[in-house]
Amino acid sequence: MTMSSSRPRESDAVAEVVVRADVPMTRLKQKHLLGIADLSPEEIVLILDTATAMQEIAHRPIKKVPTLRGRTVVNLFFEPSTRTRTSFEVAEKRLSADTLNVAIATSSVVKGETLVDTALNLEAMSPDMIVMRHASSGACHLLSRICKSKIINAGDGMHEHPTQALLDAFTIRSHKGRLGGLKVAIVGDLLHSRVLRSNVLLLTKLGADVWLCGPPTLVPPGIERLGVTVTSNVETAVADADVIMMLRIQLERMQGAFFPSLREYFQVFGMTEERVRLARPDAIIMHPGPMNRGVEIASEVADGASSVILEQVANGVAVRMAVLYLLAGGVEHETAA
Amino acid sequence: MRRLLKGGRVVDPANGVDGAFDVLIDGDRISRVGRDLPVDEGVQVIDVPKGFVVVPGLIDMHVHLREPGQEHKETIATGARSAVAGGFTAVACMPNTTPVNDSASITELMLKKAAEANLARVYPIGAVSRGSQGELLADIAELHKAGCCAISDDGKPVATALLMRRALEYASMFAMPVIDHCEDASLKGDGVAHEGFVASTLGLRGLPAAAETVMVQRDVTLAGLTGGHFHLAHMSVRGALRAVREGKSQGFPVTCEVAPHHFVLTDTYLESPIQYDTNCKMNPPLREQADMDAMIGGIVDGSVDVISTDHAPHHSDEKLQEFDRAPFGIVGLETCVPLVLDRLVHAGHISLTRAIELLSVNPARIIRRPGGSLAEGQVADITVLAPDATVTVVASKLRSKSKNTPFDGWTLRGAAAATIVGGRTVFINPDVAGAATFA
């Protein structure tokens, strides 16, 4: 099988985007995707609708469209990541972008180079987009001020992980048909979670009723000002919920005296089948991964009929394709090419 | 040489003076202050332009001059140049240099560099503990003899209650204040921004207000126990102010200072106009509105003794980093006077007299150094203010070697027009019309 003989009809995916995008907006106002905070509800819906079109590509025998042919995307990962990095890479390849993976272990950072110098060196090779994961909150904002490339935030410190929230919203919408009015319970380490912050921003923008639950030691001060309800009673949080979203408990948090033991954490906050029964019968169970089975979630729940955890992973590719496509210029770019 | 500053408004709170007076300088001393002084032969007459105000030289008792050891950020010479450009005739420099100023030899080096620069007076502050390690007392008598005006482990708190007690007791022999950067290390953790809603949404690790308050409460209690003078560096939270007020009401020897950024900015500047602006990263961090309001309240009601800048130069390479990796601190010497005049005096919070108490009278009294007064026989350290001059802060034009200011581009009403140290004009502000009169 060669590229030339197997090339799909190039305009398929794009045509579908145009047809399915029944919102007035057809492109993003933002140059970068730094966080959900910068997106309007209309832009979020545009990304989700575009992802619906992109999802179809995964079901074709030839999972590739030429949309980003000739574009270079750098995946700059300063933190270990399996799911997000591979998801972006698959998305980029399905859109025919040239991808370049730069991981911290092989980069100059270990030689003491600053983030700014690393970025400027990569820029000298004229990439179109940089997808970055970094341990420092705001690292992508710094990059966006010094780079000409478009920046996609693949997770910055404890700040945001916008594509995770978008794929979570996509998954919820595909099951519930909407986001507005749903009760979403998010349970776990709220303080250190960038997934939490992006999800709160997105879900509240689209009108969901968001409940946060965790021990008071792991609640970001003032977070209720974002229009969410905070409780440390997990039964209250999940009661009649449409969606239960679990957050990872990092095993080293015990050292910071955030909670006494993993055993006690599971007793108080772990998502068991008994607790899931308090939610609506059609509730879905989500987790951004990687999971700690038996710590924040029982295996029976993670693998149960209500779990959509692997679906989230599959949807991640479609959502990231949508983001790449829209940031590259969307419809307008394609006609120019 | 004798010089006569003629016809200006003189504000000299230490001597109860506010009005149109002439000031006669003889050599490096104030000779006379009076109305319509006669013009003797050989006297250089300087007609003070209308609207200018002659005040005792401003003293910043909390700066970091980085020399020895970090001369890429600032030197004593560039720091002194920045000081006089900001209207300061004297500065007290913190001991967190490399090596730490915990010995006479370092103090003497600083004084020698300051004498060579021959601009602002520089008063070194010695370390409380050897190497500022928080374990053994530094040689405080030696530091005092070499010329240190106070002791501090600034940059870090005095590590333990026992060490603080001993420092207060021991330094009282020399009537030196112990200046403490109050921050409980365990509560502080690895925080980088004020703990609250803004840090929560930006995903920045929090520095809780309580970390400052609990140590201020400790130190106020110890000042009461020992009778030693505790001076609280860069107060930023309302809980600390309450503790200071309580100590003062008990008659304990407690004084405190506030930096301009803590009465002008809040943590919302971390979000806009520049997200994660490392020039808004300092320690103590920018706090919330209620704290900023409390600082202004303390400045107004007299609870706050001093405004000092915590001038903390850092190279642009160091600030052009991820927020949590960038160093804490901003430069402040050249923006202090415009901020005080614009945001406190013109805003109607305090009088010019009160501003001079905070910037000159009280710091001179606390570190027991000359100045703070235009009395006859005093050193002729004089700052000339142009309270109605409008100036725009341009970071790249700062005289400091470092440009790390959050006030770049700010237009403010009020500036220092000229700075006179020991009778000699050491700075004329080119951005203030009429300032050249003082040449």
Side-chain angles (χ1 to χ4, degrees):
Chain A
M1 181 161 66
T2 67
M3 283 302 291
S4 57
S5 66
S6 65
R7 179 175 292 173
R9 293 201 349 261
E10 302 196 0
S11 57
D12 280 5
V14 175
E16 280 162 350
V17 170
V18 176
V19 170
R20 295 187 187 195
D22 50 357
V23 288
M25 178 177 286
T26 54
R27 53 183 311 185
L28 298 176
K29 294 197 196 83
Q30 318 294 327
K31 179 185 172 189
H32 311 286
L33 180 62
L34 302 179
I36 299 297
D38 304 325
L39 296 177
S40 66
E42 293 74 22
E43 287 174 300
I44 293 167
V45 170
L46 172 65
I47 294 169
L48 301 183
D49 289 345
T50 307
T52 304
M54 294 297 176
Q55 197 177 30
E56 183 270 334
I57 294 168
H59 303 304
R60 297 183 190 176
I62 308 302
K63 300 176 177 58
K64 205 174 183 78
V65 292
T67 312
L68 294 187
R69 197 171 53 194
R71 304 282 175 131
T72 305
V73 182
V74 175
N75 298 315
L76 181 57
F77 276 64
F78 290 91
E79 275 190 334
S81 160
T82 307
R83 206 172 323 258
T84 304
R85 192 187 58 73
T86 52
S87 179
F88 266 108
E89 196 176 345
V90 169
E92 290 151 11
K93 287 185 165 152
R94 287 193 179 158
L95 293 172
S96 302
D98 296 319
T99 69
L100 176 66
N101 292 317
V102 182
I104 184 160
T106 54
S107 80
S108 298
V109 173
V110 289
K111 297 173 196 160
E113 188 172 66
T114 63
L115 171 61
V116 169
D117 281 334
T118 301
L120 290 176
N121 276 278
L122 288 169
E123 276 263 300
M125 295 179 248
S126 307
D128 297 283
M129 295 191 224
I130 297 175
V131 176
M132 186 167 81
R133 154 82 49 104
H134 196 287
S136 294
S137 300
C140 295
H141 298 74
L142 172 61
L143 219 61
S144 74
R145 288 197 288 271
I146 59 167
C147 288
K148 288 194 277 293
S149 312
K150 294 167 178 176
I151 310 297
I152 298 177
N153 184 357
D156 64 323
M158 310 190 302
H159 178 228
E160 280 223 44
H161 190 353
T163 57
Q164 177 71 44
L166 287 162
L167 76 88
D168 289 342
F170 184 85
T171 305
I172 296 170
R173 200 177 73 161
S174 71
H175 281 269
K176 305 292 176 193
R178 65 192 164 100
L179 289 157
L182 296 180
K183 178 176 178 181
V184 182
I186 308 178
V187 185
D189 179 353
L190 310 167
L191 181 62
H192 300 95
S193 176
R194 53 192 170 218
V195 175
L196 180 273
R197 287 169 177 78
S198 287
N199 261 304
V200 164
L201 291 169
L202 190 156
L203 292 167
T204 52
K205 279 183 190 203
L206 293 190
D209 177 22
V210 182
W211 288 61
L212 307 185
C213 179
T217 49
L218 290 173
V219 177
I223 196 76
E224 65 283 350
R225 284 170 57 185
L226 291 175
V228 298
T229 308
V230 181
T231 175
S232 50
N233 184 315
V234 70
E235 283 79 15
T236 308
V238 300
D240 298 318
D242 298 284
V243 177
I244 298 172
M245 191 182 289
M246 303 307 296
L247 298 176
R248 174 180 165 77
I249 287 293
Q250 293 188 329
L251 304 181
E252 63 270 23
R253 295 300 172 213
M254 278 186 300
Q255 268 70 48
F258 289 103
F259 55 86
S261 67
L262 296 177
R263 180 174 161 274
E264 176 156 315
Y265 182 86
F266 185 73
Q267 285 174 357
V268 182
F269 296 101
M271 196 50 57
T272 58
E273 289 183 300
E274 190 184 4
R275 285 175 177 147
V276 170
R277 277 195 288 274
L278 300 170
R280 292 173 60 91
D282 60 348
I284 56 172
I285 311 292
M286 307 177 74
H287 195 302
M291 276 187 287
N292 293 306
R293 291 168 182 267
V295 177
E296 69 262 7
I297 188 165
S299 276
E300 297 74 33
V301 174
D303 303 330
S306 305
S307 170
V308 297
I309 294 170
L310 291 177
E311 235 178 90
Q312 288 174 267
V313 178
N315 291 338
V317 175
V319 165
R320 289 175 177 120
M321 288 171 76
V323 167
L324 289 159
Y325 167 76
L326 289 168
L327 283 183
V331 176
E332 187 181 272
H333 154 69
E334 189 58 26
T335 50
Chain B
M1 190 179 86
R2 289 189 296 166
R3 309 171 83 191
L4 183 65
L5 306 182
K6 197 156 185 54
R9 177 182 169 197
V10 175
V11 173
D12 179 17
N15 299 294
V17 171
D18 182 357
F21 288 93
D22 299 344
V23 178
L24 181 64
I25 301 167
D26 189 354
D28 64 352
R29 298 276 155 179
I30 306 280
S31 173
R32 275 187 74 186
V33 177
R35 290 192 198 277
D36 302 320
L37 295 181
V39 180
D40 297 337
E41 199 165 327
V43 172
Q44 180 199 358
V45 177
I46 296 169
D47 285 313
V48 177
K50 192 171 164 52
F52 284 25
V53 184
V54 176
V55 304
L58 308 184
I59 300 169
D60 187 347
M61 61 173 286
H62 190 145
V63 303
H64 298 268
L65 298 185
R66 307 299 188 204
E67 188 176 6
Q70 295 183 302
E71 291 86 352
H72 66 289
K73 298 174 193 253
E74 191 83 285
T75 65
I76 288 172
T78 60
R81 186 176 67 190
S82 178
V84 297
F88 290 97
T89 56
V91 295
C93 59
M94 284 295 174
N96 61 336
T97 46
T98 313
V100 167
N101 181 19
D102 62 357
S103 70
S105 58
I106 304 291
T107 304
E108 284 157 8
L109 171 82
M110 290 173 166
L111 291 170
K112 177 170 167 282
K113 294 278 183 181
E116 285 168 8
N118 199 21
L119 292 165
R121 298 178 200 272
V122 175
Y123 305 127
I125 295 168
V128 168
S129 62
R130 207 163 293 179
S132 286
Q133 293 296 306
E135 290 163 7
L136 306 171
L137 284 180
D139 291 335
I140 292 168
E142 177 187 297
L143 289 165
H144 176 250
K145 193 173 169 209
C148 285
C149 64
I151 53 172
S152 179
D153 277 348
D154 187 59
K156 303 179 201 175
V158 176
T160 65
L162 179 65
L163 186 70
M164 185 64 181
R165 174 193 180 160
R166 297 287 187 242
L168 286 165
E169 287 172 336
Y170 195 82
S172 68
M173 275 198 289
F174 315 106
M176 289 166 94
V178 180
I179 304 174
D180 202 8
H181 166 128
C182 286
E183 184 176 41
D184 182 273
S186 65
L187 279 174
K188 171 200 175 188
D190 51 5
V192 295
H194 173 63
E195 182 178 293
F197 177 70
V198 173
S200 287
T201 54
L202 291 176
L204 295 173
R205 292 184 300 271
L207 291 163
E212 179 173 328
T213 303
V214 294
M215 194 167 283
V216 175
Q217 289 168 335
R218 178 196 83 173
D219 287 354
V220 166
T221 306
L222 293 172
L225 172 68
T226 62
H229 180 173
F230 157 51
H231 178 80
L232 168 56
H234 45 52
M235 178 168 68
S236 68
V237 298
R238 52 198 191 272
L241 179 61
R242 276 195 296 271
V244 165
R245 282 178 177 144
E246 168 65 15
K248 288 187 170 196
S249 73
Q250 300 284 325
F252 298 166
V254 175
T255 54
C256 67
E257 65 189 29
V258 172
H261 45 270
H262 287 129
F263 62 74
V264 173
L265 304 175
T266 62
D267 59 354
T268 58
Y269 279 84
L270 297 174
E271 290 184 308
S272 79
I274 301 171
Q275 279 188 303
Y276 297 95
D277 185 358
T278 56
N279 284 331
C280 288
K281 180 182 177 183
M282 63 289 280
N283 191 14
L286 298 180
R287 301 292 188 178
E288 57 199 51
Q289 188 69 44
D291 291 311
M292 188 183 117
D293 294 343
M295 294 307 106
I296 294 172
I299 286 167
V300 170
D301 75 10
S303 306
V304 172
D305 299 279
V306 170
I307 290 171
S308 58
T309 67
D310 194 10
H311 179 81
H314 291 292
H315 194 276
S316 57
D317 288 346
E318 297 163 321
K319 280 293 194 181
L320 191 59
Q321 291 197 83
E322 300 88 314
F323 191 88
D324 54 2
R325 293 179 64 132
F328 291 103
I330 60 169
V331 292
L333 281 165
E334 294 167 68
T335 47
C336 180
V337 165
L339 290 168
V340 168
L341 291 173
D342 189 296
R343 296 309 171 101
L344 295 179
V345 177
H346 293 313
H349 293 300
I350 60 172
S351 65
L352 193 55
T353 300
R354 173 75 181 132
I356 302 311
E357 286 173 3
L358 292 157
L359 287 166
S360 178
V361 181
N362 293 345
R365 179 172 53 80
I366 288 168
I367 61 173
R368 294 177 169 81
R369 285 296 179 272
S373 160
L374 295 177
E376 289 171 18
Q378 261 286 1
V379 292
D381 289 4
I382 294 170
T383 302
V384 182
L385 300 176
D388 292 313
T390 298
V391 290
T392 299
V393 179
V394 180
S396 62
K397 288 186 175 174
L398 294 176
R399 274 76 170 182
S400 169
K401 201 166 189 174
S402 292
K403 317 297 177 192
N404 50 313
T405 176
F407 301 111
D408 189 25
W410 283 43
T411 296
L412 298 161
R413 185 169 150 224
T419 309
I420 298 169
V421 176
R424 192 169 51 95
T425 300
V426 291
F427 176 74
I428 291 170
N429 192 336
D431 299 328
V432 173
T437 316
F438 295 89

